[in-house]
Amino acid sequence: GGRSKWGGVVDAGSSGSRAHVYEYRAALPMTNSGLPEVSLPERTLKVGPGLSSFAKEPAGAGPALADLIAFARKEVPEEDWARTPIFLLATAGLRMLREEDQGAILASCRVFLHSQSPFRFRDEWARVLPGDNEGIYGWVAANYAAGALGPLSRGDASRLLGVVELGGASAQVTMLVPPRKPGVPP
């Protein structure tokens, strides 16, 4: 029920950056999951090189997002641009750089997303994702797509998947571990 909302994520990996555009509806009260209903057609564009390649020339990082923003403009209806948030989450390629280089690249991206993008953006929405967060986000996405989380899950924890994610410069293994009983050693 209700009108669609939109969100955009730029996944800035080691080999390139990928824009994902999501259409979703607010969580339905009767599902009790609290998670929105997301439609999952493939709305993705990847461009190279990765943002980490701009370490020596960080000013070029923001403009490198131009094709991704143009893609998102085509996917999201124009009347929704101003209320559609866009996030930039950088992973291992940027994690491996010195902090000053990370900061300069993110600063260039923030300037671009404020000045050259019609979407909602706040500075804190562009950041380097710690490896454990990257694993958790991948786990949630995989389990949502498999119907083990969200409106279709019926609260059945036995359907939850473990996820092994192999990226260009990192790997994450994420799974749900049952709680330990008090007094029982691990």
Side-chain angles (χ1 to χ4, degrees), residues 1-5 23-28 37:
R3 195 162 166 273
S4 284
K5 295 183 179 181
E23 180 182 4
Y24 65 95
R25 294 177 191 277
L28 302 172
E37 180 187 342

Side-chain angles (χ1 to χ4, degrees), residues 60-79:
L65 304 175
D67 287 347
L68 300 178
I69 296 304
F71 168 77
R73 282 174 180 261
K74 286 193 204 112
E75 295 295 320
V76 177
E78 187 169 352
E79 65 269 19

Side-chain angles (χ1 to χ4, degrees), residues 35-54:
L35 293 171
E37 180 187 342
V38 181
S39 68
L40 292 169
E42 196 65 22
R43 287 193 174 99
T44 300
L45 175 71
K46 182 175 181 181
V47 298
L51 291 182
S52 55
S53 69
F54 293 95

